[in-house]
Amino acid sequence: MSMAIRVIPCLDVDAGRVVKGVNFTGLRDAGDPVELASRYDAEGADEIVFLDITASSGDRQTMLEVVQRTADCVFIPLTVGGGVRSPDDFDLLLRAGADKVSLNTAAIADPTLLSQAAERFGSQCVVLSIDARRCPPGVSTESGFEVTTHGGRRSTGMDVITWAIEGATRGAGEILLNSMDADGTKAGFDLELIQIIRSVVQVPLIASGGAGSLSDFAPAVDAGADAVLAASVFHFGEFTISQVKQALVESGLSVR
Amino acid sequence: MTTQDIVILDYGSGNLRSAQRALEKVGASVQVTADFDEALNADALVVPGVGAFAACMRGILEVRGDIIIDRRLTAGRPVLGICVGMQVLFAHGVEHGTMVDGLGQWPGVVERLVAPILPHMGWDTVRVPADSAIFAEVAGERFYFVHSYGVTTCDLTPHDLNRRSPVVTWGTHGTDFVAAIENGPLVATQFHPEKSGAAGLELLNSWLQSL
């Protein structure tokens, strides 16, 4: 027996409400992140990721309440990201009931945030979220992939390999690797991106972006992912968590 | 059946809310506190812990957790350690080449695991001995682990007449490591039962029933 491949649904949350349509039947409130997290838990999700896309920092309290209510009824790991700027933000989320906190743009602006958080709370709760893409014309990196910010709209010119290594060295205990090229295409994960990051870091790797069919998941694992994340395919009811797990099992992989 | 009063020792470590809610879910009455008397007198004490061994030890010593745990165990009163809350029960921990004293309830050293991927993060199986009580209903299940350190050699003989022989459950990630120990009133898990879904709740329920 070996570790189970984790299947993780990601929910975008804006001011305490899930955005992007959710196509579950039988939900009392399809916009409530807590009810959705419970639903995914019941379906066999191995973790839940909340991405807080709230623009206004005045609504931070709303997210903390969502995390608290989720932790009150969902007994699987919960990762929360979005808008985290300081170790104190980490502390508030962990106390509210998050198990892991993901950093993205803030860590690029101040990489010491990763080491500060790892020292204070432990690497196990520090997730580095990387939005990567193939270099567009005019940008060049050794790996051919660069790190972006602002949801893939802004170039940093930084090599994704360099950033992944620095992140892990600074204490990130996990990397959430989003392919901005594959994201939304439903054409499968960016396997080359997964392979090159897997070959340079020893921390667990979550592959994200591009899932469109049940046959997309096993290749991501074969490329080196320890976990697979998807959003819209689950939310729109195209397939369920358990169907993804069944497909992984049929490919000879272990699941919970 | 009377409700068990549980104290989760609050010494500043990580997400305690999940442990509280999980224990409440299986019927316990739970307080999260660092109050010496409350922790000493509760029906059972839970020692949580995430992050660094040395930092957890500092936190526990600051709230005199070492004395609380020692007195409770001497009197045969239940203590449950979770994750680093289990690791600190051993004699020593080694991080970045430095050895730190643990609480010394068991002999043994907590060391960095040797594995291709660390932390050991996710749902894994364990090897449960036949005489385990807490795994009785969930021996074949997976539990949620997140740790880079562990105890890889464990030669536990009862060194305290109040304790029955230790029952050791093993896991494997690169190397074999201690996944859980049941030793009379002292029980500990390397994984997070409060994050292990239905299987974790069932394990916590079995522990509560055993109190």
Side-chain angles (χ1 to χ4, degrees), chain A residues 6-188:
Chain A
R6 288 173 282 153
V7 180
I8 305 173
C10 175
L11 297 167
D12 287 354
V13 180
D14 184 4
R17 304 288 295 173
V18 175
V19 294
K20 291 183 184 171
V22 172
N23 196 22
F24 277 141
T25 53
L27 288 180
R28 278 173 301 148
D29 177 0
D32 180 15
V34 182
E35 191 168 356
L36 275 166
S38 299
R39 177 67 172 256
Y40 283 128
D41 176 18
E43 278 193 357
D46 295 307
E47 293 187 24
I48 303 284
V49 171
F50 283 156
L51 185 60
D52 185 8
I53 57 168
T54 309
S56 147
S57 58
D59 284 329
R60 300 295 298 165
Q61 187 59 36
T62 309
M63 192 60 188
L64 290 176
E65 285 160 16
V66 166
V67 172
Q68 282 173 356
R69 288 197 294 128
T70 306
D72 286 350
C73 61
V74 174
F75 298 104
I76 57 175
L78 175 64
T79 300
V80 183
V84 179
R85 299 267 175 272
S86 68
D88 287 342
D89 290 342
F90 255 78
D91 193 39
L92 288 172
L93 286 166
L94 294 174
R95 284 179 183 278
D99 299 286
K100 301 186 253 187
V101 175
S102 76
L103 288 169
N104 192 325
T105 307
I108 294 169
D110 177 12
T112 71
L113 195 48
L114 291 166
S115 20
Q116 289 177 55
E119 275 165 33
R120 187 159 152 198
F121 308 107
S123 287
Q124 84 291 333
C125 70
V126 183
V127 181
L128 175 60
S129 175
I130 301 178
D131 291 342
R133 68 173 171 190
R134 282 155 206 273
C135 293
V139 179
S140 164
T141 65
E142 203 173 320
S143 71
F145 289 88
E146 71 154 344
V147 178
T148 68
T149 62
H150 299 82
R153 295 192 303 278
R154 287 197 203 167
S155 168
T156 66
M158 183 162 48
D159 194 324
V160 66
I161 285 185
T162 312
W163 182 227
I165 292 173
E166 178 173 355
T169 306
R170 285 187 176 276
E174 187 168 51
I175 289 177
L176 170 49
L177 185 61
N178 315 294
S179 165
M180 304 318 288
D181 299 314
D183 192 37
T185 65
K186 297 195 174 185

Side-chain angles (χ1 to χ4, degrees), chain B residues 90-121:
Chain B
F90 286 85
H92 304 285
V94 178
E95 280 172 340
H96 314 297
T98 307
M99 188 175 283
V100 177
D101 281 346
L103 296 170
Q105 294 295 336
W106 292 310
V109 183
V110 180
E111 295 171 290
R112 194 167 170 85
L113 298 174
V114 178
I117 294 181
L118 285 175
H120 175 220
M121 185 185 285

Side-chain angles (χ1 to χ4, degrees), chain B residues 1-2 15-16 22 47 56 68-69 72 82 99 154 161 183:
Chain B
M1 199 195 96
T2 55
N15 167 15
L16 305 182
V47 183
C56 285
I68 296 167
I69 292 166
R72 289 190 61 96
I82 296 176
M99 188 175 283
C154 185
L161 294 177
N183 187 196

